[in-house]
Amino acid sequence: MPTRTDTTTTTTIASLPVDPSHGALRPLALSQVTIDGGFWADKQSLNASAIIAHCEAWMEKVGWIGNFDAAVEGRLPADRAGREFSDSDVYKLMEAMAWEIGRTHDDTLDARFRALVARIAPVQEADGYLNTRFGRDGQQPRYSDLQWGHELYCYGHLLQAAVARGRTTGDDEFVQLARRAADHVCDVFGVGGIESVCGHPEVEMALIEFGRYTGESRYIDQARLFIDRRGHGVLGDIELGSSYYQDDVPVRDAEVLRGHAVRAVYLAAGAVDLGIEDEEDGLVDAVAAQLARTVARRTYLTGGMGAHHEGESFGADFELPSDRAYSETCAGIGSIMLNYRLLLATGDSTYADLIERTLFNVLATSPAADGQAFYYTNTLHQREPGSIPAADVASPRASSSLRAPWFDVSCCPTNVARTLASLGSYFATSTAVGLQLHQYAAGTVSADLASGRVAVRTETNYPDEGVVRVVVTETLTDEWTLSLRVPHWAGEAATITVDGETHSAAVGMVHIRRPFAVGDEIVLSLPVEARWTEPDPRIDALRGQRAVERGPVVMCLESTDAGHVSTVDEVRVTGDLRDDDGVVTVGTRRLTVSDDAWPYGVDSATLDADTARVRLLPYHSWANRGPSTMRVWLPLESADSVSTGR
Amino acid sequence: MPTRTDTTTTTTIASLPVDPSHGALRPLALSQVTIDGGFWADKQSLNASAIIAHCEAWMEKVGWIGNFDAAVEGRLPADRAGREFSDSDVYKLMEAMAWEIGRTHDDTLDARFRALVARIAPVQEADGYLNTRFGRDGQQPRYSDLQWGHELYCYGHLLQAAVARGRTTGDDEFVQLARRAADHVCDVFGVGGIESVCGHPEVEMALIEFGRYTGESRYIDQARLFIDRRGHGVLGDIELGSSYYQDDVPVRDAEVLRGHAVRAVYLAAGAVDLGIEDEEDGLVDAVAAQLARTVARRTYLTGGMGAHHEGESFGADFELPSDRAYSETCAGIGSIMLNYRLLLATGDSTYADLIERTLFNVLATSPAADGQAFYYTNTLHQREPGSIPAADVASPRASSSLRAPWFDVSCCPTNVARTLASLGSYFATSTAVGLQLHQYAAGTVSADLASGRVAVRTETNYPDEGVVRVVVTETLTDEWTLSLRVPHWAGEAATITVDGETHSAAVGMVHIRRPFAVGDEIVLSLPVEARWTEPDPRIDALRGQRAVERGPVVMCLESTDAGHVSTVDEVRVTGDLRDDDGVVTVGTRRLTVSDDAWPYGVDSATLDADTARVRLLPYHSWANRGPSTMRVWLPLESADSVSTGR
């Protein structure tokens, strides 16, 4: 089984989530990036100690893993549990386990992984077909419902899990099982086979990565067929419109991401992969242009994507209501996957900007502090305190005021788990002549350049503090380039200190090219202090409002911290914003509307004369203290024409 | 078959849509109110000449009427067409026909009605069950899916059609068929029967009205059972939550309308009916309080209800985004039905205010100018021009940028038809001592007071003009009271002229009590000139925006009339509003945002120095000139902190 031929390492397995055949930047493997302190190390620890086990326990409890036993024992369809695509979550859990095993070499976890393989393997049929929901007596026939059946989507997650397993542990029974499934897909959906696609894109990027991993072009050819077929109405119209599953316009012709947000970003990620492998720059450029427009017009301040609950979908340009922000956790993760592929392809740091934003404000928001509950949707405005989801029953609803332990559709928890387990790869890259740090955390990065290995150690309390100290720990005699990202949000206020000399550092990548010595220290200083953020005037939902951000972290007002009002919707902010070593407060006045009658045309609102200072907290940590109301965007006291008590 | 015992007429059939046993006001029959000129006469003509025939032709075309033939011929379920509740639309068409036959005595229409009865009657089973979707070999069993099966909902529309038929034409085969169905419902769902309810409320008000019509208390008892059972989780939880079908809280305990908007208003209307028949003031008061809060916090400027596409449902308080206004036509009609019942119960003119608003801005908006296409949803903000729905295929989508000829779920066109056919009854009422005019149109109204018949003729070009001239055409020797509604929107500017003397007329009902002579003229003068309307500052979606209303008519800006911009979203309005004999124009500046990058934090917007006057048009008439963008709420030029070219 071929693995990536690294310039200098041929003995270690390259544990790469994504391994393009070419591109501006080369990905680093999990073994080359460690995060050992601070915000993301804590999240990775939470994943290791709680989230992965939580997902596994719940899928045992609700019977999604048991579906495979039921298949072996001939108890299907009678005993089948879960939605038609529940197999996919078992695979996504296994992908998380596989990366985690690669990261921590946890033998116990490896035994659990093997136990799952032992239960799944017997379910695979002789021709490679593997699905607990279709094809048996009493079940719908195989591939009889491509719109909603998700069989190819399930294979996609199986293949991604197999890539993780193969690249961390090596070829094994599970990887071979996946290869049989991939061959089956090519047999059935290849040239001369079923000329259609899956309602939920996912198998495209999975086939390509599996092709990269195995070296088999057949899988990439199959992904190309799927990508080329989609967009021509092959799936038929539905109530939500064929844009729901991106079957309205071919991916090369589309102008913007649209429809179901997770489907859209997964498809786009697969299209970038295909463009890279086919060296079809036009395809990569098309997706990049779609993403650029999506980021400019259809993305929340948090990086979240998807404004509609209906269809879990993107809205129109500038249709970004805070209170109906669907911003599915999986869409955020898919956006990170897409942006990472474009970062590798182009080297453009704006992709890393959006990755950072989405990591801190979507991915980090989903899991509760204890890792036992998750947000599926990530609203930017909670109007009603709502209630606590049941602790022992899967939630039938994607949205709730508090995180739920599990969902009837529970794609998000396992997606969080696999992303946290493979997080290191998103933090740094290399080229033949340099090392690039895109995300900042205490830890180490090493890379094999054309002329040898280099390594750095980073010390930082980012994002609480803005100082990032990078020390060279392994170097070359030749000069090489250390590049650090200056985030877009830093404006003109970032500085970099090299050899005791401080320079201003413009947004983008700051490159330090020289013959480094071990012990050389570079200090990047980022202005993380809290700042006001204004919305684009075309976003109707945000008119007259301001948000507060602190470094890459979006702040919010939770009612728990605003005792002078009954709901955050009564708050109007003054211009007074303070940041006292990370304690962020704003001045507020309370809005009172005395009447409760026809709400148009008569104005009886007043603003309190007194102001109250209230503390803001990072959006990612809201709703850990019981039911509450919350706003990211805060109306200005001057926004409404109200009489004031001043 | 008993009919209403009117004080003075026992020979005519009282063609009353709603006939409560008591209340502050007495309804007038279709025969007592004629509308013979102007806005609503045109709509009634459109209904007679186009809409009813359109609905009938489409239901033949798509096979919903044919389902009954298929049942007789044993071709079900193989040949069944349409959704599970398609029978209901055939009944709603028949209700429209029945009222229209009562209104116009159209023999041809009567023959078409009888032809439908002849096709439906043989489908009814021996025990009264009647439904083309359930109970046959190969179909789901009867009442096996109360959440979504809608069998009782279909009976509800059957009974309402039978009431219309009975009250306009008299007892006939169709009414007897309906009685057997109603008896069947009582047999199966009565005490000791299935202790549940229908997922879609509707049968409650239908059973009560059928009970009123037949004089059988059994039907009212059954409605009481349904209303009492609901709200205790009898239907089980679903993804949308049990509030979707109002099974979360008993109707007497609820604080506000919530969940699926049509379900909510239909249930509330039935609850008012029950409260009246049971003389349970607490129930009527509870619903009135729920409606009051709903009107104050969950209703659009148009009177439209329902902010969410997901679940076709109400949002939270003050969650009223223009661009996602679902505002289903049927929810508006249900609101009219509910408000009419509360108007009759209480005499409070605020209910007639909302009826007027909803008539002009929801009901009148749905049908296209030619009566051949309809809005299902009624958005207040069209962001993208969109496309024209196919003329020969039912639309799978409720929302579109232009009206569609038919829908896969086509509840709205037939609901429009039955409402227009019975519209007169909503316009005026009587008491023992007086006549009340709630809505204004050219036409006649007569009523039988305790001491005899009175009648008036109204001449007006309302709402284009504000003068309403009421002339007494039949009177009594005793004094009696003529009451006219002064709409809430008139503020303090309405006047009334009696005997040549003009007085200011306060909002509410103005009462003129005296011994009228034939020929006496009362002139109500309403300030219909265009005015600015401000939103409640708690509605986030409307901050910094103003609407224009003209009399009861909500105005809008359609891109067709604003050639200086590519979309109405580029428009910012100055304070300059003019109304030149009904030609309404506003001053606007064009907003330009030069960049297309991350939309938060950097502001590059400018406003043109020049202003352009653009014409506004009544919201109800938008989208009759091809694809366009449209806004009801217009951002103020001062709303965004942008630099101006001035």
Side-chain angles (χ1 to χ4, degrees):
Chain A
M1 187 72 50
T3 62
R4 180 186 186 86
T5 311
D6 277 292
T7 312
T8 57
T9 61
T10 50
T11 52
T12 58
I13 293 173
S15 50
L16 295 158
V18 182
D19 188 12
S21 61
H22 65 280
L25 306 178
R26 297 168 56 85
L28 295 180
L30 299 193
S31 53
Q32 295 172 291
V33 184
T34 64
I35 303 170
D36 55 24
F39 189 91
W40 290 112
D42 292 348
K43 296 292 179 203
Q44 287 199 310
S45 295
L46 187 70
N47 195 39
S49 66
I51 296 174
I52 290 173
H54 176 89
C55 292
E56 188 179 7
W58 264 94
M59 280 195 282
E60 289 287 10
K61 176 185 166 88
V62 295
W64 299 357
I65 298 173
N67 285 338
F68 292 96
D69 307 331
V72 174
E73 294 159 18
R75 294 185 281 106
L76 294 184
D79 287 358
R80 193 171 183 287
R83 291 288 301 268
E84 49 274 51
F85 40 78
S86 68
D87 294 357
S88 69
D89 274 302
V90 180
Y91 303 144
K92 218 150 61 190
L93 167 68
M94 294 175 77
E95 183 186 342
M97 288 176 157
W99 293 126
E100 191 66 12
I101 292 162
R103 192 176 76 86
T104 61
H105 309 289
D106 180 335
D107 287 342
T108 309
L109 192 60
D110 191 66
R112 279 155 56 195
F113 185 95
R114 291 175 194 275
L116 286 173
V117 175
R119 291 162 76 179
I120 292 167
V123 181
Q124 189 169 39
E125 299 181 35
D127 64 352
Y129 185 84
L130 175 55
N131 192 293
T132 66
R133 178 58 169 70
F134 290 89
R136 291 170 191 77
D137 285 346
Q139 293 186 322
Q140 288 172 259
R142 291 179 182 184
Y143 309 120
S144 58
D145 184 8
L146 289 172
Q147 283 182 346
W148 303 105
H150 286 57
E151 286 153 288
L152 290 164
Y153 169 86
C154 289
Y155 289 131
H157 282 299
L158 172 66
L159 297 181
Q160 288 179 325
V163 166
R165 183 64 171 172
R167 286 195 181 142
T168 52
T169 301
D171 201 355
D172 72 356
E173 182 188 0
F174 185 65
V175 176
Q176 289 163 19
L177 177 159
R179 185 189 271 266
R180 288 191 297 274
D183 287 336
H184 163 81
V185 169
C186 297
D187 292 343
V188 175
F189 288 89
V191 174
I194 301 173
E195 290 197 9
S196 193
V197 301
C198 185
H200 198 314
E202 153 66 27
V203 74
E204 296 81 1
M205 66 173 148
L207 279 166
I208 293 172
E209 207 61 46
F210 198 67
R212 288 166 171 168
Y213 167 67
T214 58
E216 290 280 0
S217 61
R218 181 183 195 196
Y219 306 136
I220 295 171
D221 294 341
Q222 184 61 47
R224 188 183 308 109
L225 284 176
F226 284 139
I227 287 170
D228 291 352
R229 285 173 189 161
R230 189 178 294 270
H232 300 279
V234 291
L235 288 166
D237 198 8
I238 52 174
E239 183 174 353
L240 295 164
S242 57
S243 62
Y244 171 78
Y245 34 45
Q246 294 76 45
D247 193 26
D248 53 337
V249 180
V251 68
R252 291 171 181 82
D253 302 334
E255 293 183 352
V256 67
L257 300 183
R258 69 225 173 274
H260 187 275
V262 180
R263 285 166 164 81
V265 288
Y266 280 9
L267 176 66
V272 172
D273 286 336
L274 182 66
I276 293 296
E277 296 314 312
D278 284 357
E279 301 189 30
E280 183 189 346
D281 292 347
L283 179 53
V284 176
D285 292 348
V287 176
Q290 292 160 28
L291 177 62
R293 179 161 164 181
T294 303
V295 170
R297 299 178 172 222
R298 300 186 173 194
T299 301
Y300 283 101
L301 181 63
T302 54
M305 293 184 177
H308 290 181
H309 283 239
E310 189 197 35
E312 308 185 308
S313 66
F314 284 103
D317 286 354
F318 304 112
E319 190 198 341
L320 293 161
S322 296
D323 50 13
R324 293 296 278 174
Y326 198 73
S327 181
E328 183 177 337
T329 301
C330 290
I333 290 169
S335 169
I336 291 168
M337 296 166 80
L338 170 59
N339 278 281
Y340 179 56
R341 283 159 172 76
L342 285 167
L343 173 65
L344 294 177
T346 66
D348 184 340
S349 69
T350 61
Y351 297 113
D353 283 345
L354 195 65
I355 289 172
E356 174 173 62
R357 184 173 289 278
T358 311
L359 284 172
F360 277 109
N361 302 298
V362 179
L363 182 77
T365 307
S366 176
D370 65 1
Q372 305 288 320
F374 301 83
Y375 273 127
Y376 185 124
T377 65
N378 295 277
T379 188
L380 273 70
H381 179 188
Q382 182 73 36
R383 289 184 176 272
E384 298 175 345
S387 54
I388 304 173
D392 57 348
V393 180
S395 170
R397 275 169 289 285
S399 56
S400 80
S401 62
L402 288 169
R403 298 167 181 88
W406 203 248
F407 302 90
D408 284 350
V409 174
S410 215
C411 42
C412 298
T414 52
N415 226 345
V416 169
R418 69 171 178 156
T419 308
L420 287 176
S422 58
L423 194 65
S425 284
Y426 294 91
F427 274 45
T429 58
S430 69
T431 61
V433 297
L435 176 65
Q436 301 84 38
L437 303 186
H438 303 288
Q439 310 299 337
Y440 299 116
T444 62
V445 179
S446 67
D448 297 296
L449 311 189
S451 50
R453 173 167 298 186
V454 299
V456 299
R457 156 127 212 113
T458 301
E459 294 295 349
T460 182
N461 197 20
Y462 187 82
D464 290 351
E465 296 167 13
V467 176
V468 179
R469 201 174 299 273
V470 181
V471 179
V472 175
T473 55
E474 200 170 342
T475 190
L476 306 170
T477 49
D478 298 343
E479 62 179 19
W480 55 281
T481 304
L482 177 63
S483 304
L484 289 84
R485 182 178 61 97
V486 178
H488 177 257
W489 57 259
E492 296 174 1
T495 63
I496 188 127
T497 304
V498 186
D499 291 341
E501 277 188 38
T502 299
H503 311 269
S504 74
V507 164
M509 295 304 277
V510 55
H511 304 286
I512 301 139
R513 178 171 173 80
R514 57 186 245 173
F516 287 96
V518 168
D520 278 2
E521 184 177 277
I522 288 89
V523 179
L524 177 68
S525 188
L526 297 171
V528 294
E529 293 72 27
R531 65 190 184 276
W532 287 113
T533 298
E534 255 185 75
D536 189 299
R538 291 170 292 188
I539 305 174
D540 286 291
L542 302 182
R543 194 165 283 117
Q545 295 163 71
R546 295 291 179 272
V548 175
E549 296 180 274
R550 190 176 191 282
V553 175
V554 172
M555 306 296 286
C556 72
L557 173 60
E558 191 176 3
S559 56
T560 322
D561 299 309
H564 66 309
V565 296
S566 62
T567 154
V568 295
D569 292 337
E570 294 171 358
V571 165
R572 296 295 178 271
V573 292
T574 70
D576 181 15
L577 170 65
R578 290 186 212 157
D579 185 339
D580 300 313
D581 294 329
V583 176
V584 179
T585 56
V586 286
T588 69
R589 292 182 202 276
R590 189 168 60 95
L591 176 86
T592 310
V593 184
S594 56
D595 67 357
D596 206 13
W598 184 243
Y600 307 104
V602 178
D603 196 339
S604 62
T606 55
L607 278 177
D608 280 2
D610 297 338
T611 61
R613 293 205 71 75
V614 295
R615 183 164 179 176
L616 305 184
L617 84 161
Y619 170 73
H620 61 68
S621 62
W622 89 279
N624 275 300
R625 298 171 292 175
S628 61
T629 59
M630 181 277 298
R631 289 187 78 112
V632 165
W633 289 95
L634 305 170
L636 296 167
E637 59 175 342
S638 57
D640 313 298
S641 48
V642 296
S643 56
T644 65
R646 277 177 285 175
Chain B
M1 190 70 51
T3 63
R4 182 187 185 84
T5 312
D6 278 294
T7 314
T8 57
T9 60
T10 50
T11 52
T12 58
I13 294 172
S15 50
L16 295 157
V18 182
D19 188 11
S21 61
H22 66 280
L25 306 178
R26 296 167 58 83
L28 295 180
L30 300 192
S31 53
Q32 296 171 292
V33 184
T34 64
I35 303 169
D36 55 24
F39 189 91
W40 290 112
D42 292 348
K43 296 292 180 203
Q44 287 198 311
S45 294
L46 188 69
N47 196 39
S49 66
I51 296 175
I52 290 174
H54 176 89
C55 292
E56 188 180 5
W58 265 93
M59 281 195 282
E60 291 287 10
K61 175 185 167 88
V62 295
W64 300 357
I65 298 172
N67 286 336
F68 292 96
D69 307 332
V72 173
E73 294 160 17
R75 293 185 281 106
L76 295 183
D79 287 359
R80 193 171 182 287
R83 290 288 300 268
E84 49 272 53
F85 41 79
S86 67
D87 293 359
S88 69
D89 274 303
V90 180
Y91 303 144
K92 220 150 61 192
L93 167 68
M94 293 174 78
E95 183 187 343
M97 287 176 157
W99 293 126
E100 191 66 11
I101 292 162
R103 192 176 76 87
T104 61
H105 309 288
D106 180 335
D107 287 341
T108 310
L109 193 58
D110 192 66
R112 279 155 55 196
F113 185 95
R114 290 174 195 274
L116 287 173
V117 175
R119 292 163 75 180
I120 292 167
V123 181
Q124 188 168 39
E125 300 181 34
D127 64 351
Y129 184 86
L130 175 56
N131 192 294
T132 66
R133 177 61 167 68
F134 291 90
R136 291 170 191 77
D137 286 347
Q139 292 185 322
Q140 287 172 260
R142 292 179 180 184
Y143 308 121
S144 58
D145 184 8
L146 290 172
Q147 283 182 345
W148 302 105
H150 287 56
E151 286 152 290
L152 290 163
Y153 169 85
C154 289
Y155 289 132
H157 283 299
L158 172 66
L159 297 181
Q160 289 181 323
V163 166
R165 183 65 172 173
R167 287 194 181 142
T168 53
T169 301
D171 199 358
D172 71 356
E173 182 188 0
F174 184 65
V175 177
Q176 289 163 19
L177 177 158
R179 185 189 271 268
R180 288 192 298 274
D183 287 336
H184 163 80
V185 169
C186 297
D187 292 344
V188 174
F189 288 88
V191 174
I194 300 172
E195 290 197 5
S196 193
V197 301
C198 184
H200 199 315
E202 154 66 26
V203 74
E204 297 81 0
M205 64 173 151
L207 280 166
I208 293 173
E209 208 60 46
F210 199 65
R212 288 166 171 167
Y213 167 66
T214 59
E216 291 280 1
S217 61
R218 179 183 197 197
Y219 306 137
I220 295 171
D221 295 340
Q222 184 61 47
R224 189 183 307 110
L225 284 175
F226 284 139
I227 287 170
D228 291 352
R229 284 173 188 159
R230 188 178 294 268
H232 300 280
V234 292
L235 288 166
D237 197 8
I238 52 174
E239 182 174 354
L240 295 164
S242 56
S243 63
Y244 171 77
Y245 34 44
Q246 295 76 45
D247 194 26
D248 54 336
V249 180
V251 67
R252 290 172 183 81
D253 302 334
E255 293 183 352
V256 67
L257 301 183
R258 69 227 172 273
H260 187 276
V262 180
R263 284 166 164 81
V265 289
Y266 279 10
L267 175 66
V272 171
D273 286 336
L274 182 67
I276 293 296
E277 296 315 313
D278 284 358
E279 301 190 30
E280 183 190 345
D281 292 347
L283 179 53
V284 177
D285 292 348
V287 175
Q290 292 160 28
L291 177 61
R293 179 160 165 182
T294 303
V295 170
R297 298 174 174 227
R298 299 186 172 193
T299 301
Y300 283 100
L301 181 63
T302 54
M305 292 184 176
H308 290 180
H309 284 239
E310 189 197 35
E312 307 185 308
S313 67
F314 284 103
D317 286 354
F318 304 113
E319 189 198 341
L320 292 161
S322 296
D323 50 12
R324 292 297 279 175
Y326 198 73
S327 181
E328 183 177 339
T329 301
C330 289
I333 290 169
S335 170
I336 291 168
M337 296 167 80
L338 169 59
N339 277 280
Y340 179 55
R341 282 159 174 77
L342 285 167
L343 173 65
L344 294 177
T346 67
D348 183 342
S349 69
T350 60
Y351 297 114
D353 283 346
L354 194 65
I355 289 172
E356 174 174 62
R357 184 173 290 278
T358 311
L359 283 172
F360 277 109
N361 302 300
V362 179
L363 182 77
T365 307
S366 176
D370 65 1
Q372 305 287 320
F374 300 83
Y375 274 127
Y376 185 124
T377 64
N378 296 277
T379 189
L380 273 71
H381 180 187
Q382 182 73 37
R383 289 183 177 274
E384 297 175 346
S387 54
I388 303 172
D392 57 349
V393 180
S395 170
R397 277 168 287 285
S399 55
S400 80
S401 62
L402 287 169
R403 298 167 182 89
W406 203 248
F407 302 91
D408 284 350
V409 174
S410 215
C411 42
C412 298
T414 53
N415 226 345
V416 169
R418 68 171 179 157
T419 307
L420 287 175
S422 58
L423 195 64
S425 283
Y426 294 91
F427 274 45
T429 58
S430 69
T431 61
V433 298
L435 177 65
Q436 300 83 39
L437 303 185
H438 303 287
Q439 310 298 337
Y440 301 116
T444 63
V445 179
S446 68
D448 299 296
L449 312 189
S451 52
R453 172 168 299 185
V454 299
V456 298
R457 159 131 208 110
T458 300
E459 294 296 350
T460 183
N461 198 20
Y462 186 83
D464 290 350
E465 296 169 13
V467 176
V468 179
R469 201 175 301 271
V470 181
V471 178
V472 175
T473 55
E474 201 171 343
T475 190
L476 305 170
T477 50
D478 298 343
E479 63 179 20
W480 56 280
T481 305
L482 177 64
S483 304
L484 289 85
R485 182 178 62 96
V486 178
H488 177 258
W489 56 259
E492 297 174 0
T495 62
I496 187 126
T497 305
V498 185
D499 290 340
E501 278 188 36
T502 299
H503 311 269
S504 73
V507 164
M509 296 303 278
V510 56
H511 304 285
I512 301 139
R513 177 172 173 80
R514 58 185 241 173
F516 287 96
V518 167
D520 277 3
E521 184 178 279
I522 289 91
V523 178
L524 176 68
S525 187
L526 297 171
V528 295
E529 293 71 28
R531 64 189 186 278
W532 287 113
T533 298
E534 255 186 72
D536 189 297
R538 291 170 291 187
I539 305 175
D540 285 293
L542 302 183
R543 193 166 284 117
Q545 295 163 71
R546 296 291 179 272
V548 174
E549 296 181 274
R550 189 175 191 283
V553 174
V554 172
M555 306 297 286
C556 72
L557 174 60
E558 190 174 1
S559 56
T560 323
D561 299 308
H564 66 309
V565 296
S566 61
T567 153
V568 294
D569 292 337
E570 293 172 359
V571 165
R572 296 295 178 271
V573 291
T574 70
D576 182 14
L577 169 66
R578 291 186 211 158
D579 184 341
D580 300 311
D581 294 328
V583 176
V584 179
T585 54
V586 287
T588 68
R589 292 183 202 276
R590 190 167 59 94
L591 177 85
T592 310
V593 184
S594 55
D595 68 357
D596 207 10
W598 184 242
Y600 307 104
V602 178
D603 196 340
S604 60
T606 54
L607 277 178
D608 280 2
D610 297 337
T611 61
R613 293 205 70 75
V614 294
R615 183 164 180 176
L616 305 185
L617 85 162
Y619 170 73
H620 61 67
S621 62
W622 88 279
N624 275 300
R625 298 171 292 176
S628 61
T629 59
M630 182 277 298
R631 290 187 77 113
V632 166
W633 290 95
L634 306 170
L636 295 167
E637 60 175 340
S638 58
D640 313 299
S641 47
V642 297
S643 57
T644 64
R646 276 178 287 176

